[in-house]
Amino acid sequence: MSDLDQLLDRMRSQPADPRLMDIEETVMAGVAVRRERAVARRSLALAGIVAIGIGWIGSVVPGGPAQAASRPVVIGMSDYAPSRLLGQ
């Protein structure tokens, strides 16, 4: 037998590492984390595409001419409010 065969026989006779018993749970937890990251990336990409689309549509559609607002109907606003004082 070669040295490699002797080494393999010695390794087979030793008990397995106890950490290997929990490897399935660790691997599945890692898979779940990667899946959550993928979902988050897709959601972020979708939100970006929607935002770009809305911005593009907003820039293409012509808007109405800008008009100054008429004096607002004031309900319960003090005569000393800064907006009232600046407007007079």
Side-chain angles (χ1 to χ4, degrees), residues 16 39 42 55 57 61 77 83 87:
V39 169
R42 275 188 249 133
I57 290 171
V61 174
M77 185 183 290
S83 59

Side-chain angles (χ1 to χ4, degrees):
M1 269 205 270
S2 69
D3 292 335
L4 181 60
D5 290 330
Q6 290 175 356
L7 179 64
L8 288 174
D9 288 338
R10 199 172 11 170
M11 288 178 67
R12 286 185 190 120
S13 65
Q14 293 178 355
D17 190 350
R19 294 178 293 176
L20 292 175
M21 297 300 174
D22 297 332
I23 197 165
E24 182 178 357
E25 296 170 5
T26 306
V27 168
M28 294 309 288
V31 167
V33 167
R34 291 192 78 181
R35 185 177 298 139
E36 290 172 3
R37 286 181 185 167
V39 169
R41 283 186 191 124
R42 275 188 249 133
S43 299
L44 188 59
L46 179 62
I49 290 171
V50 168
I52 289 171
I54 289 173
W56 181 75
I57 290 171
S59 67
V60 170
V61 174
Q67 296 177 355
S70 62
R71 185 172 180 164
V73 176
V74 180
I75 300 174
M77 185 183 290
S78 169
D79 289 337
Y80 300 110
S83 59
R84 292 282 304 254
L85 292 173
L86 293 174
Q88 293 179 355

